[in-house]
Amino acid sequence: MSTETEPTSPYAQVRDLVELAETYAEDGAPLSAQERLLEARTLLDGILRPRGTRKAPSMSLETLVTTVESATLRRTPEEIAAVPWVAAAIGEHDDRIGALGELADQVAAKHRAAIVEWIGRDWTCLCVTYCAEDPATACGLSGQVQHVHPAVPGRPGTYGPCPVHPDAPGDR
């Protein structure tokens, strides 16, 4: 009987990394949790796209290293890393950096979409509550658009029509 331990399967390693990330997150260490999740993603990428089936890097590692080393004579590492093709080329040779780059691209796309949504929002209605919270004053916009009916002066608990949507069905 051999005393050597059998190497852990990549699937078990992914599970362990995800569990560790969960522990870090619960302990209030989100950056450590994210690092473990990136390691898990790198392993998953390796399982899903084995090295032999991946696209070949756009330049050899030797050429990339020589190019980056030459650039360090005139630029800081931060300036070199900011060049998109350099970051992409390094990501082709380092799975973890590639996964980080893909994550950054996804976050940037979500950020752009959130900005577009914000810009396209109808800013004429800056209402704050759903009138459906009180069925007695609910209007046709209940549950659809955040809006508020203004209180009628001198009549506490009585509300008038929505000032932004006075013609909405149910407004009185």
Side-chain angles (χ1 to χ4, degrees):
M1 183 170 162
S2 173
T3 58
E4 292 181 31
T5 59
E6 191 173 312
T8 309
S9 79
Y11 302 102
Q13 290 174 346
V14 169
R15 183 193 64 236
D16 293 344
L17 286 167
V18 169
E19 288 174 358
L20 185 58
E22 188 175 49
T23 301
Y24 279 130
E26 289 170 356
D27 290 344
L31 294 178
S32 296
Q34 186 177 20
E35 289 291 320
R36 298 304 79 76
L37 289 174
L38 284 169
E39 290 176 31
R41 179 180 173 168
T42 300
L43 280 171
L44 284 170
D45 285 345
I47 293 168
L48 297 173
R49 292 181 287 167
R51 264 281 179 213
T53 62
R54 293 186 201 171
K55 189 179 94 173
S58 56
M59 69 171 60
S60 71
L61 182 58
E62 294 78 18
T63 303
L64 179 60
V65 169
T66 302
T67 304
V68 170
E69 285 177 345
S70 298
T72 59
L73 299 174
R74 298 177 308 281
R75 303 273 188 253
T76 65
E78 290 79 14
E79 291 172 325
I80 298 166
V83 176
W85 73 263
V86 172
I90 291 172
E92 291 174 351
H93 289 281
D94 186 316
D95 290 337
R96 185 171 173 277
I97 291 174
L100 273 170
E102 289 176 17
L103 180 62
D105 291 343
Q106 291 169 355
V107 170
K110 287 180 182 179
H111 182 245
R112 278 189 303 278
I115 290 171
V116 167
E117 185 275 327
W118 188 92
I119 291 169
R121 189 178 297 159
D122 179 7
W123 287 102
T124 58
C125 180
L126 300 176
C127 305
V128 293
T129 60
Y130 288 100
C131 72
E133 292 170 358
D134 180 6
T137 62
C139 75
L141 296 171
S142 299
Q144 297 176 19
V145 178
Q146 264 195 325
H147 66 289
V148 63
H149 296 250
V152 175
R155 297 178 61 194
T158 307
Y159 301 94
C162 179
V164 178
H165 309 102
D167 59 342
D171 281 342
R172 300 188 203 287

